[in-house]
Amino acid sequence: MRVLHHYWLSSGSRFCRVMLAERKLEVMLKLEHYWEKPKAFLMLNPASTVPVMVEDDSTVLVGVWPIAEYLDETYPDSAMITGTPAQKAEIRRLTDWFAVKVEREVVTPLVYEKLMRRLTGEGEPSSTVIRASLNNLSAHLEYINHLAERRKWLAGPKLSAADLYAAASLSVVDYLGDVQWQDWPEAKTWYSRIKSRPSFRSLLADHVTGLKPPAHYTDLDF
Amino acid sequence: MRVLHHYWLSSGSRFCRVMLAERKLEVMLKLEHYWEKPKAFLMLNPASTVPVMVEDDSTVLVGVWPIAEYLDETYPDSAMITGTPAQKAEIRRLTDWFAVKVEREVVTPLVYEKLMRRLTGEGEPSSTVIRASLNNLSAHLEYINHLAERRKWLAGPKLSAADLYAAASLSVVDYLGDVQWQDWPEAKTWYSRIKSRPSFRSLLADHVTGLKPPAHYTDLDF
């Protein structure tokens, strides 16, 4: 069976799980403590990052760009990057926005400060870094709110990879209790639509040992 | 005519120029001081990053992933991401390696310390950051050397987007005088093959005011 090497609070891993679930494709999850650079995992991906997907025929797909395009090419009927060239470019732009920019400015530092430091014994969280990341988060939520006000889905009239990545990122930050949803009503309505999709339900059941999500995290009516 | 909003020492911009030149597609370059967040440029790309490509029909393509896939879809005869699903995944993995990982660990900090600080008046270069970036660069050159020893081109038997991105990144670092080519013979041979391609020649003619590249920078025999 297809295997997805993942980590619970990795937005890229969550994105791939939802991309697979939207297509009703089965996958076996394999948890990776990628920061410890396990030897067997380095053989698959010398960058030691998740997600990595391994197909039945042993095709190895490393990272968000390769996995997203591979799934679209292999299962074109349920493609998540569709439309005119301009629409596809917009979907890829926004997916990359969340996969690279939001990852660097918000998700990676918050997960590091609030979880990884404890797992790796690297001292107390830095309140300066947390504050800067939350400021960045506000700017990104404002952008999502702006897009959700003007479009049915973030990249246009159809649900796309951009929505799934954005929601995957926000679900990680929301797990940490850092999203002030009441300040972003349009973003909240958009997120509640994604949250109620069957593909998203299993993500919300994840629990990281020793780190409890806030009460509203799994609520559809939050 | 097609316009590419670019910056001289941006590896992503250089990658797009070579991708266009390999296909003999004309383009007008528009220099962007993206770090100043010019209003007109923010309208095209709220992230204020280069490259941004604008087509004759006003299609706006922001960033490496959208531009690379768009060019392959629009000009399939000269596609740079080709082969079996596994081969395409490998090309995308390596292109992303250079576009995200090498960018973050090597190119962005070196260009910032050696050029941007001067342009923006932000104090003296940090020797600690430069040293760390050069250490990272060695690890990436070792990886390129390893790939070039085993394969004709970095991602497999054919020239691909991965070679063009890797060479674009290295050309920026080489401009700064930071590549010790003699330590990486296979990487050097591979780079000299790219350097001699007509598509690459115009890049090497770039000059940034007040920053001279080393003597070997444009030499095909370096």
Side-chain angles (χ1 to χ4, degrees):
Chain A
M1 196 198 276
R2 168 183 294 121
V3 175
L4 185 72
H5 298 257
H6 85 123
Y7 183 67
W8 303 115
L9 293 189
S10 142
S11 58
S13 301
R14 288 183 164 215
F15 167 69
C16 292
R17 288 162 67 192
V18 186
M19 289 279 275
L20 291 164
E22 280 288 330
R23 293 165 157 105
K24 303 196 171 43
L25 294 173
E26 288 202 13
V27 63
M28 200 174 79
L29 296 180
K30 183 170 181 325
L31 185 67
E32 293 291 349
H33 286 189
Y34 57 90
W35 58 91
E36 295 169 358
K37 307 198 175 182
K39 267 201 184 151
F41 187 54
L42 283 174
M43 299 286 286
L44 287 177
N45 176 14
S48 201
T49 51
V50 286
V52 173
M53 191 167 89
V54 183
E55 290 287 270
D56 271 341
D57 66 0
S58 303
T59 299
V60 178
L61 302 134
V62 174
V64 168
W65 176 5
I67 292 173
E69 299 288 348
Y70 170 87
L71 287 174
D72 265 32
E73 286 166 2
T74 313
Y75 305 98
D77 290 349
S78 52
M80 285 286 161
I81 304 170
T82 57
T84 65
Q87 283 165 339
K88 290 165 90 169
E90 179 65 354
I91 293 166
R92 289 181 176 121
R93 175 183 79 84
L94 285 171
T95 308
D96 197 51
W97 180 291
F98 290 97
V100 178
K101 192 172 165 64
V102 175
E103 192 61 35
R104 183 183 61 225
E105 298 178 0
V106 180
V107 182
T108 302
L110 284 180
V111 170
Y112 178 74
E113 296 299 333
K114 296 194 162 193
L115 175 65
M116 290 296 161
R117 274 188 184 276
R118 185 143 42 91
L119 292 180
T120 58
E122 286 181 51
E124 289 300 305
S126 154
S127 57
T128 314
V129 171
I130 291 176
R131 209 175 312 117
S133 309
L134 294 178
N135 274 338
N136 295 336
L137 173 62
S138 290
H140 290 297
L141 280 164
E142 190 171 324
Y143 190 42
I144 293 174
N145 208 65
H146 166 94
L147 292 171
E149 248 172 32
R150 283 158 184 80
R151 299 170 174 178
K152 183 162 177 209
W153 296 98
L154 294 189
K158 281 182 67 181
L159 175 81
S160 76
D163 298 284
L164 301 184
Y165 208 110
S169 294
L170 285 183
S171 75
V172 172
V173 182
D174 199 32
Y175 189 103
L176 300 173
D178 287 328
V179 186
Q180 305 304 318
W181 288 110
Q182 70 281 3
D183 297 344
W184 318 101
E186 298 294 334
K188 183 178 170 176
T189 306
W190 160 83
Y191 187 60
S192 73
R193 279 192 286 145
I194 304 258
K195 226 173 156 176
S196 64
R197 297 181 75 82
S199 69
F200 215 73
R201 300 301 298 158
S202 89
L203 290 193
L204 299 178
D206 290 357
H207 270 261
V208 181
T209 314
L211 192 67
K212 245 178 90 129
H216 73 260
Y217 173 72
T218 52
D219 280 358
L220 294 184
D221 191 17
F222 54 110
Chain B
M1 195 198 277
R2 168 183 295 123
V3 176
L4 184 73
H5 298 258
H6 85 124
Y7 183 67
W8 303 116
L9 293 189
S10 142
S11 58
S13 302
R14 289 184 162 214
F15 167 68
C16 292
R17 287 162 68 192
V18 185
M19 289 280 275
L20 291 164
E22 280 287 331
R23 293 166 157 104
K24 302 195 172 41
L25 295 173
E26 288 202 13
V27 63
M28 201 173 79
L29 295 180
K30 184 169 183 324
L31 185 66
E32 293 291 349
H33 286 188
Y34 57 89
W35 59 92
E36 294 169 357
K37 307 197 176 184
K39 266 201 186 152
F41 187 54
L42 283 176
M43 299 286 286
L44 287 176
N45 176 15
S48 201
T49 50
V50 286
V52 174
M53 192 167 90
V54 183
E55 290 287 273
D56 271 341
D57 66 0
S58 303
T59 300
V60 178
L61 302 134
V62 174
V64 168
W65 175 6
I67 293 174
E69 299 288 347
Y70 171 87
L71 287 174
D72 265 33
E73 286 166 2
T74 313
Y75 306 98
D77 290 348
S78 52
M80 285 286 161
I81 303 169
T82 57
T84 63
Q87 284 165 339
K88 291 165 91 168
E90 178 66 354
I91 293 167
R92 290 180 177 122
R93 175 183 78 84
L94 284 171
T95 307
D96 196 53
W97 181 290
F98 290 98
V100 178
K101 191 173 167 65
V102 174
E103 193 61 35
R104 183 183 62 224
E105 298 178 359
V106 180
V107 182
T108 301
L110 283 180
V111 169
Y112 178 75
E113 296 299 335
K114 296 195 161 190
L115 176 66
M116 290 297 159
R117 274 189 184 276
R118 185 142 42 91
L119 292 179
T120 58
E122 286 181 51
E124 290 300 307
S126 155
S127 56
T128 314
V129 172
I130 292 176
R131 207 174 314 119
S133 309
L134 293 179
N135 273 340
N136 294 337
L137 173 62
S138 291
H140 291 297
L141 280 164
E142 190 172 324
Y143 190 42
I144 292 174
N145 208 65
H146 166 92
L147 293 171
E149 251 172 26
R150 284 158 183 77
R151 299 171 174 177
K152 184 164 176 206
W153 297 98
L154 294 189
K158 282 183 67 181
L159 175 82
S160 77
D163 298 285
L164 301 184
Y165 208 111
S169 294
L170 284 183
S171 76
V172 172
V173 182
D174 198 31
Y175 189 103
L176 300 172
D178 286 329
V179 186
Q180 306 304 318
W181 288 110
Q182 71 280 3
D183 296 344
W184 318 101
E186 299 293 335
K188 184 178 169 176
T189 306
W190 160 82
Y191 187 59
S192 73
R193 279 190 286 145
I194 304 258
K195 227 173 156 176
S196 63
R197 297 182 75 83
S199 69
F200 216 73
R201 302 300 299 159
S202 89
L203 291 193
L204 300 177
D206 291 357
H207 270 262
V208 181
T209 314
L211 192 66
K212 246 179 89 127
H216 73 259
Y217 173 71
T218 52
D219 281 358
L220 293 185
D221 192 17
F222 53 109

